[in-house]
Amino acid sequence: MFHGKHPEGLSERGRALLLEGGKALGLDLKPHLEAFSRLYALLQEASGKVNLTALRSEEEVVVKHFLDSLTLLRLPLWQGPLRVLDLGTGAGFPGLPLKIVRPELELVLVDATRKKVAFVERAIEVLGLKGARALWGRAEVLAREAGHREAYARAVARAVAPLCVLSELLLPFLEVGGAAVAMKGPRVEEELAPLPPVLERLGGRLGEVLALRLPLSGEARHLVVLEKAAPTPPAYPRRPGVPERHPLC
Ligand SMILES: C[S@@+](CC[C@H](N)C(=O)[O-])C[C@H]1O[C@@H](n2cnc3c(N)ncnc32)[C@H](O)[C@@H]1O
């Protein structure tokens, strides 16, 4: 349902790109074209007012926001009504595209910047996404609250922090047996090398590292799966800002 005026949605070319890219990912996005078109319109509308995302052209938004987010679906982790956290969601990525295509997921999108959370709240409302909620807060604080600590089956994060930092922020949110996915660019080896002992400290272990190429642009991406093997010790995450200033590796 639309509320108020907004610019045009995706052009015919944008829709064709989205369908083609979806196909390359093994997805039929036809039933979701309208939702992505509305999300694009909202991003365009908001970009005139606040600095939500650096991406502007329609092709960039389709490929680097929508399709990049949907690469998550290459992993067999999204069946059923799982509770999913998108940490550092910004303007709603990867969480909103994931929720559009897998509506049965129960999604919480968190960001430390209030204006970004306000945008995501509005997108959830306009797109009519049931079972999605935007939350303003820092991972270091929320991960210590009942209702969030060890309360998610899945967690995702794109472009939030290096893996050493991200592990400390994501793993406390996961229930034992759960999995987090860190979305990374072309180079991941250097970040992976020192990770295993840190993961062990946090009750985690390294799962699959899936190398893939972004549809249409061909850019290299990596999906790094962090598995929750045991409860995270209560010392983690440390106080706000400490994981970033003094990474565990
Ligand atoms: C570069 S943006 C990426 C946004 C989005 N995930 C994307 O890929 O387009 C990083 C976001 O993470 C948020 N962030 C960074 N550290 C955070 C923390 N400790 N808790 C919550 N949000 C955090 C920032 O506010 C920012 O919006």
Side-chain angles (χ1 to χ4, degrees):
M1 184 192 332
F2 287 108
H3 295 289
K5 288 178 80 165
H6 58 76
E8 293 297 304
L10 287 172
S11 68
E12 283 308 312
R13 182 168 177 273
R15 286 166 188 251
L17 284 175
L18 186 59
L19 285 182
E20 188 189 336
K23 221 177 194 174
L25 291 172
L27 300 168
D28 176 13
L29 297 180
K30 212 168 183 180
H32 309 296
L33 275 181
E34 231 20 75
F36 281 107
S37 185
R38 286 175 189 190
L39 180 55
Y40 176 71
L42 285 170
L43 284 165
Q44 292 300 101
E45 180 190 73
S47 71
K49 300 177 201 151
V50 287
N51 190 19
L52 269 184
T53 137
L55 303 182
R56 287 292 144 82
S57 83
E58 185 184 52
E59 183 167 347
E60 273 188 317
V61 172
V62 167
V63 176
K64 296 191 179 175
H65 277 334
F66 298 168
L67 293 170
D68 191 24
S69 297
L70 294 174
T71 61
L72 280 175
L73 293 166
R74 299 299 286 174
L75 292 167
L77 292 174
W78 315 105
Q79 299 310 318
L82 300 166
R83 193 159 187 238
V84 182
L85 172 77
D86 179 4
L87 179 67
T89 188
F93 301 103
L96 291 176
L98 185 64
K99 176 71 182 167
I100 289 170
V101 176
R102 286 286 179 275
E104 64 278 12
L105 296 173
E106 195 197 321
L107 179 67
V108 178
L109 305 106
V110 166
D111 203 278
T113 305
R114 207 190 267 269
K115 68 172 190 195
K116 295 185 178 177
V117 173
F119 173 81
V120 176
E121 255 164 8
R122 177 162 152 71
I124 288 171
E125 190 195 333
V126 172
L127 298 179
L129 298 174
K130 304 273 176 278
R133 181 160 74 100
L135 192 62
W136 177 52
R138 287 195 65 101
E140 297 92 321
V141 176
L142 292 172
R144 295 188 161 277
E145 291 179 4
H148 292 295
R149 190 172 186 90
E150 313 216 312
Y152 293 86
R154 304 282 180 263
V156 294
R158 186 182 78 158
V160 174
L163 284 173
C164 275
V165 178
L166 204 52
S167 301
E168 184 176 353
L169 299 180
L170 286 178
L171 282 166
F173 285 103
L174 289 178
E175 58 196 27
V176 173
V181 184
M183 306 183 74
K184 292 281 159 182
R187 277 178 302 280
V188 79
E189 291 78 13
E190 268 177 37
E191 283 189 54
L192 285 174
L195 205 56
V198 171
L199 291 176
E200 202 177 324
R201 247 162 110 174
L202 295 165
R205 67 175 168 235
L206 188 60
E208 182 177 0
V209 178
L210 181 66
L212 47 85
R213 295 216 170 256
L214 215 49
L216 309 171
S217 82
E219 285 169 82
R221 293 283 188 268
H222 290 87
L223 301 178
V224 179
V225 180
L226 310 174
E227 296 171 349
K228 178 90 164 209
T232 301
Y236 303 110
R238 292 165 293 165
R239 287 192 315 279
V242 177
E244 200 183 345
R245 281 199 305 276
H246 304 286
L248 294 172
C249 54

